[in-house]
């Protein structure tokens, strides 16, 4: 009988892993994807959606045709329980599905209770529905403008999106003729500008400081948020920042059902993995992307998380697929690369400008890292969006 590989999740990590393991074994494997979403979402473009620069259909595509074309099964339903000993996953419709090898690529959920009043009185852009809600709030803001606060809370890790939204907000305020009327403030848990949750890069603090000064953006660094009221954010030191529009990046959590699986997840629902992306306890279970636990190698005055989306997720998924293929062939998994050793590759958009971020490793110590500012970064992100959606829609995961 052919090996059965079950993949939980259908976005960056899940779709890449499913297609890659099928490719690695030249189709001689049964692969099934289980996901509560039937669409692939290009998350990096959520920064543009609130400003009307993107619509839902422009940054998504249905995954079923892609999976069908590559002879991969698809169950459009959420997983609700995992029995790692019995090798069984229970689904929301009551059905169960067995596996020989499992890939957990279930992404994240927002930690909505990180700050009292966050859900009720601010918006975020970390999911498609929330970004659409942020867009409705932005349109109301344009009718009655006031001050704007963009924030990344204590424990947040997705600082790149916060910076991108911040600079895109500044760009949109200029386009609307509101730049001189609106005070724009950035609140962050980062100990310094350009930390990004990865320890910073050479000259990053100076570069980001220059960008902020040029745009007239005020900052509050290394601080948490105490609570958010309707129209005001109160920081941990008691300072109150009034706003007419507030966008907040919260921390992420792993999926709740994983907490009930013996020896799989930590207290946040992230799956504890080795450098092969096998779980610490089970050789036949892998976790990739945001679902994988990553140790934070530092302590900061205000806690910060680590970004795991995008390129690191793809890398993890390919390593997991190669190792599963090795196991299916009766070999020992040999592909390994700790999260901190994955290359840092990111394009940060700033409206009509941006920064290309490159480093030999995600986390220090590094041999080299560089930030390249300029309008070419904006154009590169536009091009990459189109390329990546084409690549994934067609299942060409072997391409870079």
């Amino acid at each position: 009988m052919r090996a059965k590989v079950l993949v939980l999740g259908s976005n960056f990590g899940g779709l890449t892993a499913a297609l890659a393991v099928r490719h690695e074994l030249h189709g001689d494997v049964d692969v099934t994807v289980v996901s509560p979403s039937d669409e692939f979402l290009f998350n990096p473009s959520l920064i543009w959606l609130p400003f009307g620069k993107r619509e839902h259909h422009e940054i998504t595509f249905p995954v079923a045709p892609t999976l069908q074309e590559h002879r991969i099964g698809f169950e459009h339903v959420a997983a609700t329980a995992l029995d790692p000993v019995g090798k069984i996953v229970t689904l929301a419709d009551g059905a169960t599905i067995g596996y020989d090898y499992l890939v957990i690529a279930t992404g994240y959920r927002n930690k909505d209770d990180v700050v009292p009043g966050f859900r009720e009185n601010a918006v975020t852009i970390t999911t498609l529905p929330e970004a659409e809600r942020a867009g409705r709030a932005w349109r109301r803001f344009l009718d009655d403008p006031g001050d704007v606060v963009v924030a990344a809370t204590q424990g947040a890790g997705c600082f790149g999106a916060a910076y991108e939204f911040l600079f895109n907000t500044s760009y949109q305020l200029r386009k609307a003729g509101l730049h001189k009327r609106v005070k724009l403030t950035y609140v962050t848990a980062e100990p310094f500008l350009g930390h990004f949750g990865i320890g910073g890069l050479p000259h990053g603090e100076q570069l980001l400081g220059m960008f902020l000064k040029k745009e007239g953006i005020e900052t509050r660094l290394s601080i948490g948020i105490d609570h958010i009221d309707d129209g005001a954010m109160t920081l941990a030191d008691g300072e109150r920042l009034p706003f007419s529009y507030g966008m907040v990046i919260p921390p992420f959590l792993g999926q709740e059902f994983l907490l009930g699986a013996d020896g799989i997840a930590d207290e946040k629902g992230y799956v504890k993995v080795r450098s092969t992306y096998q779980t610490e306890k089970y050789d036949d279970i892998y976790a990739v992307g945001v679902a994988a636990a990553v140790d934070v190698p530092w302590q900061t005055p205000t806690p910060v998380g680590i970004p795991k989306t995008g390129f690191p997720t793809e890398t993890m998924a390919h390593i997991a697929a190669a190792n599963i293929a090795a196991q299916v062939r009766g070999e020992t998994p040999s592909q390994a690369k700790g999260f901190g050793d994955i290359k840092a590759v990111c394009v940060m958009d700033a409206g009509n400008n941006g920064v290309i971020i490159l480093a030999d490793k995600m986390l220090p110590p590094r041999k080299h890292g560089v930030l390249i500012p300029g309008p070419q970064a904006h154009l590169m992100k536009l091009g990459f969006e189109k390329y990546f959606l084409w690549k994934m829609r067609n299942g060409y995961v072997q391409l870079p």
Side-chain angles (χ1 to χ4, degrees), residues 46-69:
L46 290 175
I47 58 162
W48 292 320
L49 194 142
F51 306 116
K53 306 304 292 183
R54 288 295 181 277
E55 298 292 336
H56 180 138
H57 70 275
E58 294 177 297
I59 59 174
T60 62
F61 64 83
V63 296
T66 300
L67 294 171
Q68 185 176 8
E69 182 180 347

Side-chain angles (χ1 to χ4, degrees), residues 30 118 143 157 159 184 209 220 230 274 285 328:
D30 290 333
F118 158 60
D143 291 334
F159 294 102
L184 178 56
R220 303 292 189 275
D230 183 11
R274 296 167 257 173
I285 302 178
V328 171

Side-chain angles (χ1 to χ4, degrees), residues 124-302:
T124 190
I125 56 166
T126 54
T127 70
L128 182 56
E130 290 292 348
E132 291 174 331
R133 176 171 166 253
R136 293 190 292 272
W138 180 257
R139 291 188 288 276
R140 292 193 298 271
F141 164 82
L142 291 177
D143 291 334
D144 185 19
D147 292 344
V148 175
V149 176
V150 175
T153 73
Q154 54 271 32
C158 199
F159 294 102
Y163 279 112
E164 288 189 292
F165 191 84
L166 176 70
F167 290 121
N168 271 270
T169 298
S170 183
Y171 177 67
Q172 293 298 325
L173 289 172
R174 284 188 183 276
K175 285 184 67 177
L178 297 172
H179 186 263
K180 293 183 178 179
R181 291 174 52 193
V182 172
K183 183 172 77 171
L184 178 56
T185 304
Y186 177 54
V187 175
T188 179
E190 296 165 280
F192 54 84
L193 291 172
H195 184 280
F196 292 122
I198 60 172
L201 290 167
H203 311 298
E205 185 174 7
Q206 297 94 319
L207 180 64
L208 269 296
M210 181 186 71
F211 267 54
L212 290 160
K213 184 176 180 181
K214 172 179 172 291
E215 295 299 317
I217 299 170
E218 295 188 8
T219 60
R220 303 292 189 275
L221 303 176
S222 191
I223 194 159
I225 302 171
D226 185 77
H227 64 275
I228 303 174
D229 296 314
D230 183 11
M233 178 182 296
T234 300
L235 307 186
D237 62 2
E239 182 182 6
R240 188 172 183 270
L241 297 175
F243 65 81
S244 295
Y245 188 89
M247 196 291 290
V248 176
I249 300 291
F252 297 151
L253 297 171
Q255 301 304 331
E256 196 167 6
F257 79 92
L258 294 169
L259 295 169
D262 177 49
I264 289 289
D266 63 17
E267 69 281 357
K268 295 181 179 178
Y270 294 138
V271 180
K272 297 170 285 186
V273 295
R274 296 167 257 173
S275 59
T276 57
Y277 296 97
Q278 293 167 290
T279 60
E280 289 184 354
K281 189 169 182 178
Y282 301 97
D283 290 345
D284 53 3
I285 302 178
Y286 292 74
V288 301
V290 182
V294 173
D295 291 330
V296 179
W298 51 67
Q299 286 188 328
T300 52
T302 302

